[in-house]
Amino acid sequence: MIMIVSKLIGDKRRYRQYKARIRRLPEDYRTAVEAIERYLMHFVPADNESAISEFEDLAELFERAASDGTPIRELVGDEPTEFVEEFARNYTKGGYAPDKERQRLLRGIERAIEAERTGR
């Protein structure tokens, strides 16, 4: 029982750390990560470790891009859904994403790119 509790607390702690990292990103990068995060929720993680590692790696990718000044469009490409689905393949057993969620992801990325372009 103690192992289960410490496992749950450990994962929760890592998830909170991930969310704190995302909050520290510039607004345009944070908007893009939040859109990607929402889309990733439609994929089934291979296991608990894969789920939290997926978010940590996503945070690291965007932290590095923000630090290097890599534009969001250059990072996610012209087809953000393909970028996210390829990213998810490293951590999931599969999943589905209804068209509604694909459109929501595209709008989120476009908002992030517009914010990046206008400096908001």
Side-chain angles (χ1 to χ4, degrees):
M1 180 69 168
I2 291 174
M3 288 180 59
I4 293 171
V5 171
S6 66
K7 175 78 175 143
L8 290 173
I9 290 172
D11 287 346
K12 187 181 265 188
R13 181 177 303 139
R14 288 174 65 190
Y15 184 74
R16 286 183 180 153
Q17 289 170 342
Y18 155 75
K19 294 301 272 185
R21 291 169 68 186
I22 298 307
R23 282 192 298 273
R24 289 191 296 268
L25 286 170
E27 185 177 347
D28 46 349
Y29 287 88
R30 187 175 53 245
T31 298
V33 170
E34 288 169 351
I36 291 169
E37 181 183 306
R38 181 177 179 86
Y39 194 71
L40 284 173
M41 295 296 181
H42 293 278
F43 294 87
V44 179
D47 53 43
N48 287 344
E49 179 60 29
S50 295
I52 194 65
S53 294
E54 179 179 46
F55 290 128
E56 290 170 339
D57 291 348
L58 180 65
E60 183 175 331
L61 181 66
F62 275 80
E63 286 169 341
R64 201 173 313 149
S67 173
D68 295 345
T70 304
I72 294 168
R73 177 62 74 199
E74 186 175 316
L75 186 63
V76 301
D78 292 332
E79 298 293 334
T81 55
E82 290 179 16
F83 166 80
V84 177
E85 290 170 4
E86 184 65 32
F87 182 82
R89 280 189 195 99
N90 297 315
Y91 308 93
T92 69
K93 293 179 177 176
Y96 81 101
D99 187 58
K100 176 180 159 187
E101 290 304 322
R102 285 189 180 95
Q103 296 305 315
R104 191 184 306 233
L105 170 65
L106 294 174
R107 286 192 306 271
I109 295 297
E110 289 304 320
R111 276 195 317 275
I113 290 171
E114 180 63 20
E116 180 180 63
R117 188 181 64 75
T118 61
R120 290 185 292 156

